Amino acid sequence: MAVIDRETETALDAARDRYGRTVHHSAATAARARRTQAVLAAYATHLAEHGRQLLTAARSGLDHLPTAPHTTAWRDLLDVLAASHTEITRVINDPAAPGSAEQSEQRAAVWPHLAFWADYGSIAAGLADQHHQPGPELSPEDKRRWTDQVRAARRWGELDPIESWYAADGRLITVAYLVQDDTSTVIALAGAPDTAGWEVIGHYDHESAAGRALPRAVPLGVLRPEAASRFNRPAPTPERPVQELLQEVIEARTASEVSEALLTAARQGYEAGPLIRLERLLDTAARFSCALDTVRGQQIGARLAALGRQLAFLTQEVHDAAEDLGATVGVLPPYRTPAPPRIRPRPAVSTTPPTPPPQSTAATRRT
């Protein structure tokens, strides 16, 4: 799905103008139709016959998990995935006539179901994987010994985290490299490494061994439950690139032209400027970092939020300075003359080329 989506986005980009507005609507519609057809074909090949089995295994895995508010939400998602699977297989088994109006309506109706599976089918796969039986953890004595050793190594910067996930029991599992004396050992920690309660639960020769021995990951969360599908995003809003604004300032002759470029960068509203978009990016990243529910995440979230506030102040300063610059009605003085281009003159077409020097031969060299 990701490959098909990238190809479609490339085609949609070709149908937009330099600011992201769709101008070739027929080409955009054709690109979306090809995307739906390609995803339907992939679904028919990989999921049509096995979707029900996957959902059954996911429900079975979910039944063995501890009861929690998110398990109820996962069960609701599985029900919606089942309903979407029914709609998709119905279209696969009974397609409309090619090129007909019914086919266009059918594709438009089935696309949200395909996008839903592309976004959240991994939740079903993750729940079905909960039947995995993890290996035994370290004994209490070995846990204390290894935890003390790893805590000391972490203070010396010898612990390099690789990845982390949540297990079904709610523990945060972190896999890291312990690098000491030119040797590397894969270590598994239970608990957030930035808190005082974490402990080592296993050590392994390599990452694949750790993956076989450790509890499987439960499905990850999302920042905004109501966010749009990554495969069904709204049309992008018009945007002026920073590079274009910079070039306009370089080519400007009057203060009003530079003022307009700066005001565009700090513009609020639907066609927000790059400074406003960067401010929103920092704010959203701060919310994400805080949502990690770790001490380190809260600290970084506070830093990002502070940067967002500083940028908001800077944006207002840019706006005010731009208005002041425009009020000067200034122009560049004439002594700032442009440099002529460095173009080498070419000979006229009728010019006879110079006679090349005679080539030396072995006989003339001996003479």
Side-chain angles (χ1 to χ4, degrees):
M1 180 65 176
V3 174
I4 296 172
D5 185 65
R6 283 196 299 270
E7 294 174 349
T8 304
E9 285 300 321
T10 301
L12 291 176
D13 286 340
R16 299 178 179 127
D17 64 8
R18 61 193 300 183
Y19 304 123
R21 295 171 297 206
T22 300
V23 291
H24 303 293
H25 296 280
S26 59
T29 300
R32 293 189 179 95
R34 289 193 300 270
R35 176 185 62 182
T36 302
Q37 189 60 36
V39 176
L40 271 174
Y43 198 97
T45 302
H46 301 289
L47 274 173
E49 296 183 5
H50 310 291
R52 291 293 177 186
Q53 299 175 1
L54 175 62
L55 292 172
T56 300
R59 289 192 177 96
S60 176
L62 186 56
D63 291 338
H64 291 84
L65 297 183
T67 302
H70 52 265
T71 59
T72 302
W74 287 337
R75 200 174 299 278
D76 293 341
L77 278 172
L78 292 179
D79 291 341
V80 179
L81 285 170
S84 292
H85 178 76
T86 299
E87 291 298 318
I88 296 170
T89 53
R90 182 181 62 81
V91 172
I92 292 174
N93 296 329
D94 187 20
S100 63
E102 290 76 11
Q103 184 187 49
S104 299
E105 295 176 359
Q106 191 179 63
R107 286 174 173 173
V110 79
W111 173 249
H113 299 288
L114 292 169
F116 188 77
W117 261 92
D119 279 315
Y120 303 117
S122 59
I123 292 181
L127 293 174
D129 203 26
Q130 295 302 313
H131 295 285
H132 166 76
Q133 292 297 326
E137 297 183 1
L138 296 175
S139 65
E141 180 180 352
D142 286 339
K143 283 184 179 180
R144 287 192 297 270
R145 180 170 60 86
W146 274 94
T147 300
D148 292 340
Q149 178 183 350
V150 173
R151 287 184 189 277
R154 186 169 180 266
R155 287 193 294 269
W156 288 98
E158 297 174 337
L159 191 67
D160 185 14
I162 305 171
E163 63 175 325
S164 62
W165 65 86
Y166 281 96
D169 56 7
R171 292 184 301 171
L172 179 64
I173 306 297
T174 301
V175 178
Y177 282 124
L178 176 64
V179 183
Q180 291 180 315
D181 300 328
D182 296 330
T183 62
S184 178
T185 306
V186 177
I187 300 295
L189 316 175
D194 52 9
T195 61
W198 62 270
E199 63 178 358
V200 177
I201 60 175
H203 59 89
Y204 315 93
D205 294 333
H206 44 77
E207 293 180 51
S208 58
R212 291 191 297 268
L214 292 170
R216 287 290 191 262
V218 295
L220 300 177
V222 294
L223 180 61
R224 295 178 178 174
E226 74 286 356
S229 164
R230 62 176 295 189
F231 300 108
N232 201 25
R233 293 172 177 169
T237 56
E239 181 178 4
R240 293 287 299 278
V242 175
Q243 179 63 37
E244 181 176 310
L245 296 176
L246 173 61
Q247 195 63 31
E248 288 183 0
V249 173
I250 294 173
E251 298 169 356
R253 297 290 190 271
T254 67
S256 61
E257 294 175 284
V258 179
S259 173
E260 182 61 31
L262 292 174
L263 289 173
T264 299
R267 179 182 296 158
Q268 300 272 0
Y270 175 71
E271 296 185 11
L275 287 175
I276 301 299
R277 295 176 189 269
L278 180 57
E279 181 185 339
R280 294 173 184 171
L281 174 63
L282 290 174
D283 180 67
T284 307
R287 295 176 184 272
F288 178 92
S289 187
C290 291
L292 295 175
D293 286 340
T294 62
V295 173
R296 187 63 173 157
Q298 297 287 335
Q299 294 172 344
I300 298 175
R303 287 171 56 192
L304 290 170
L307 289 172
R309 291 190 296 270
Q310 293 175 25
L311 183 57
F313 173 79
L314 175 63
T315 300
Q316 186 60 48
E317 287 292 301
V318 170
H319 182 275
D320 295 344
E323 288 190 333
D324 293 342
L325 181 61
T328 66
V329 297
V331 295
L332 291 177
Y335 69 81
R336 304 186 68 89
T337 57
R342 297 181 178 179
I343 302 175
R344 298 180 63 181
R346 300 184 62 181
V349 177
S350 59
T351 302
T352 303
T355 304
Q359 294 185 354
S360 62
T361 61
T364 58
R365 283 197 299 272
R366 284 195 298 269
T367 302

